[in-house]
């Protein structure tokens, strides 16, 4: 497929031709470092290195004015517990970031080939990468993207959801604003979809717009505070949903800039002792 002038392909390694600049998405980690960790922790431990390696490969090919780049997406060791879907989505996110940050007229890079271990993986990566790129380009455009997040007060703590897609970690309920929605409508919808809760007393807290707050692309989020009613349950793309006190969430792996958002919230609304 093509996205903003860049051709994206997926191929199994045995079917690749030579003559392109090459880069690996997996760093040269010994797998033993992850074998003793729980699967979720292994994912969190590898997400940032995979993202950084993919970004470096794209930037290196750009600096070298290469026409083609082969991204080796085959895991260096089958024992590394990193989901194929996560790897495919991170590659797609970084390609999307690249074509939006570097205008087509500045690019010599015309083709990126994602190389995987076999034909079965090639089919899976192609479906995931092409599906993601097609969706974000059709629905979101070039950005910056408008998002919302909600700090839901419940049982003396706040509600956080565990993300099932990269970026991984725990996060405030939230997401992208759909066309035709107000910020408030989007916040209510996202909370309902991810937690099953109905919000009440929704109030704007602050807007956060730092370009690097989201590792995928530039998002601008308006954060709301609210109470909620209903039974808390994970839904949509949330793998889990729980209430955390500050003493508990401070020890969690937190996605995006939500740790600093929660810290700002505690400064303005300190807990009563």
């Amino acid at each position: 497929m093509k996205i903003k002038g860049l051709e994206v392909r997926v191929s199994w390694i045995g079917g690749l031709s030579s003559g392109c600049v090459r880069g690996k998405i997996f760093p040269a980690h010994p797998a033993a470092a992850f074998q003793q960790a729980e699967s979720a922790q292994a994912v969190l431990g590898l997400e940032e290195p995979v993202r950084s390696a993919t970004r470096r490969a794209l930037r290196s090919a750009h600096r070298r004015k290469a026409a083609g780049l082969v991204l080796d997406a085959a895991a260096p060791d089958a024992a590394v517990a990193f989901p194929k879907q996560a790897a495919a989505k991170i590659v797609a996110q970084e390609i999307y970031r690249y074509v939006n940050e570097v205008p087509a007229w500045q690019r010599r890079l015309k083709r990126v080939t994602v190389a995987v271990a076999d034909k079965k993986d090639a089919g899976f990566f192609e479906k995931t990468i092409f599906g993601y790129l097609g969706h974000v380009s059709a629905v979101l455009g070039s950005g910056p993207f408008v998002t919302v997040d909600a700090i839901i007060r419940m049982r003396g703590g706040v509600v956080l959801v565990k993300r099932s897609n990269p970026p991984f970690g725990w996060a405030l309920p939230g997401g992208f604003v759909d066309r035709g929605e107000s910020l408030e409508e989007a916040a209510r919808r996202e909370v309902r979809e991810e937690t099953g809760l109905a919000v009440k007393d929704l109030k704007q807290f602050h807007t956060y717009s730092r370009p690097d707050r989201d590792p995928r692309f530039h998002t601008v989020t308006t954060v709301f505070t609210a109470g909620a009613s209903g039974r808390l349950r994970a839904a949509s793309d949330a793998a889990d949903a729980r209430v955390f006190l500050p003493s508990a969430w401070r020890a969690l792996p937190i996605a995006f800039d939500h740790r600093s958002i929660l810290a700002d919230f505690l400064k303005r609304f300190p807990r009563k002792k």
Side-chain angles (χ1 to χ4, degrees):
M1 71 172 296
K2 272 197 173 184
I3 180 166
K4 296 193 174 182
L6 181 68
E7 184 179 358
V8 182
R9 301 176 179 176
V10 179
S11 175
W12 62 293
I13 289 176
L16 283 178
S17 59
S18 58
C20 293
V21 172
R22 292 176 177 263
K24 294 180 178 290
I25 73 165
F26 285 99
H29 283 297
F34 298 95
Q35 289 175 350
Q36 297 177 354
E38 295 181 1
S39 178
Q41 293 304 315
V43 168
L44 290 170
L46 268 178
E47 179 188 353
E48 183 52 37
V50 168
R51 188 179 296 281
S52 295
T54 305
R55 191 173 301 174
R56 283 196 304 271
L58 286 162
R59 290 177 177 175
S60 176
H62 177 74
R63 287 195 303 270
R64 295 167 66 177
K65 298 181 179 180
L69 168 66
V70 175
L71 280 174
D72 183 356
D77 193 308
V80 175
F82 197 79
K84 293 176 184 177
Q85 185 177 50
K89 284 192 174 182
I90 289 172
V91 168
Q93 289 166 1
E94 290 304 314
I95 289 173
Y96 191 70
R97 181 186 183 113
Y98 171 72
V99 297
N100 278 294
E101 289 183 346
V102 183
W105 64 270
Q106 289 184 355
R107 283 188 245 128
R108 294 283 183 90
L109 187 62
K110 301 300 181 184
R111 183 178 68 258
V112 173
T113 302
V114 182
V116 293
D118 52 44
K119 290 183 178 180
K120 182 178 179 181
D121 281 356
F124 178 84
F125 269 70
E126 183 175 287
K127 180 179 179 180
T128 304
I129 292 173
F130 290 6
Y132 185 92
L133 291 174
H135 173 75
V136 294
S137 60
V139 175
L140 299 180
S142 300
F145 308 117
V146 181
T147 64
V148 291
D149 292 294
I151 300 173
I152 305 297
R153 303 180 299 271
M154 180 175 276
R155 301 196 294 268
V158 296
V159 174
L160 297 179
V161 297
K162 188 176 183 180
R163 291 179 54 80
S164 59
N165 291 308
F168 294 109
W170 291 86
L172 297 167
F176 295 99
V177 178
D178 289 342
R179 186 176 299 276
E181 273 188 322
S182 69
L183 296 175
E184 290 78 8
E185 288 168 341
R188 291 188 180 95
R189 174 182 55 77
E190 286 288 348
V191 171
R192 183 179 65 255
E193 289 178 353
E194 294 186 350
T195 69
L197 299 173
V199 301
K200 56 185 179 182
D201 302 323
L202 191 69
K203 296 178 181 177
Q204 285 196 21
F205 172 64
H206 194 72
T207 296
Y208 294 82
S209 61
R210 200 176 69 232
D212 62 350
R213 61 173 303 274
D214 185 327
R216 302 167 299 178
F217 26 62
H218 186 184
T219 60
V220 177
T221 189
T222 297
V223 180
F224 291 85
T225 61
S229 60
R231 182 174 66 88
L232 179 61
R233 56 177 178 80
S236 185
D237 58 354
D240 197 358
R242 302 184 191 179
V243 175
F244 291 96
L245 297 176
S247 57
W249 65 251
R250 286 191 178 102
L252 294 174
I254 304 291
F256 310 112
D257 59 348
H258 290 188
R259 187 180 301 279
S260 61
I261 292 174
L262 287 166
D264 290 346
F265 173 73
L266 287 180
K267 288 178 184 177
R268 189 178 302 184
F269 304 104
R271 295 183 70 228
K272 295 179 181 179
K273 297 182 179 179

